[in-house]
């Protein structure tokens, strides 16, 4: 009988512990998480609006790209300037170099994979995904060495 009472006490403690843990989640963790997701959604909505405002124009469907204060309307010129900038910035820290379609452009050298990465930064810049890479392709020339678009900046 004493063994069963001990087991019941242990089960009660386990239940109460789980109950209090769930209460904490409902009162603290979930509201904070919901707020973070709402902020992300608002950021994505702002970024989507920005994309719509800066649609490609003309025959070649290339949006002007601003690099180091100069605006490039030709793909080849923008690609050459990107290569020149890569040679100037061999640093692994992300550096802002211009803008494209309303987004800030950051470039950095990924020392682990030995290639350059480019980030397009908007309101939801901390959580870029493949969606933004596909919808905001930077249609430059085929470059050697290639610029690889990384979804997140280095840590």
């Amino acid at each position: 009988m004493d063994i069963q009472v001990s087991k019941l006490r242990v089960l009660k403690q386990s239940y109460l512990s789980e109950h209090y843990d769930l209460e904490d989640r409902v009162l603290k963790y979930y509201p904070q998480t919901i707020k973070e997701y709402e902020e992300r959604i608002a950021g994505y909505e702002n970024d989507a609006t920005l994309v719509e405002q800066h649609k490609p124009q003309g025959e070649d469907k290339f949006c002007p790209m601003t690099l180091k204060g100069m605006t490039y309307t030709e793909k080849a010129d923008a690609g050459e300037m990107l290569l020149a900038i890569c040679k100037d910035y061999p640093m692994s820290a992300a550096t802002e170099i211009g803008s494209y379609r309303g987004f800030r452009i950051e470039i950095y050298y990924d020392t682990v994979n030995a290639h350059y990465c480019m980030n397009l930064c908007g309101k939801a810049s901390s959580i870029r995904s493949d969606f933004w890479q596909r919808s905001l392709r930077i249609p430059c020339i085929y470059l050697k060495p290639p610029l690889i678009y990384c979804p997140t900046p280095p840590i």
Side-chain angles (χ1 to χ4, degrees), residues 107-122:
I107 195 165
Y108 64 93
Y109 185 73
D110 183 357
T111 55
V112 173
N113 296 312
H115 60 250
Y116 286 94
C117 294
M118 184 182 304
N119 297 322
L120 296 176
C121 304

Side-chain angles (χ1 to χ4, degrees), residues 83-144:
L83 277 177
I85 290 172
C86 286
K87 290 176 185 175
D88 291 343
Y89 292 103
M91 309 292 275
S92 60
T95 304
E96 185 176 342
I97 60 167
S99 65
Y100 178 71
R101 294 185 75 176
F103 290 82
R104 289 180 298 116
I105 299 174
E106 292 180 348
I107 195 165
Y108 64 93
Y109 185 73
D110 183 357
T111 55
V112 173
N113 296 312
H115 60 250
Y116 286 94
C117 294
M118 184 182 304
N119 297 322
L120 296 176
C121 304
K123 292 283 184 183
S125 64
S126 63
I127 46 171
R128 288 177 294 283
S129 66
D130 289 339
F131 166 76
W132 294 114
Q133 292 172 19
R134 287 192 302 272
S135 65
L136 295 174
R137 280 187 194 127
I138 298 182
C140 294
I141 59 175
Y142 293 100
L143 303 172
K144 294 180 182 173

Side-chain angles (χ1 to χ4, degrees), residues 10 22 47 54 59 62 69 77 85 88 108 110 119 122 124 128 148:
V10 169
L22 288 173
D47 288 350
H54 296 87
E59 293 177 9
F62 180 74
D77 295 338
I85 290 172
D88 291 343
Y108 64 93
D110 183 357
N119 297 322
R128 288 177 294 283
I148 298 174

Side-chain angles (χ1 to χ4, degrees), residues 5 7 49 63 70 91 97 119 148:
V5 171
K7 285 182 182 180
T49 302
C63 283
M70 291 191 61
M91 309 292 275
I97 60 167
N119 297 322
I148 298 174

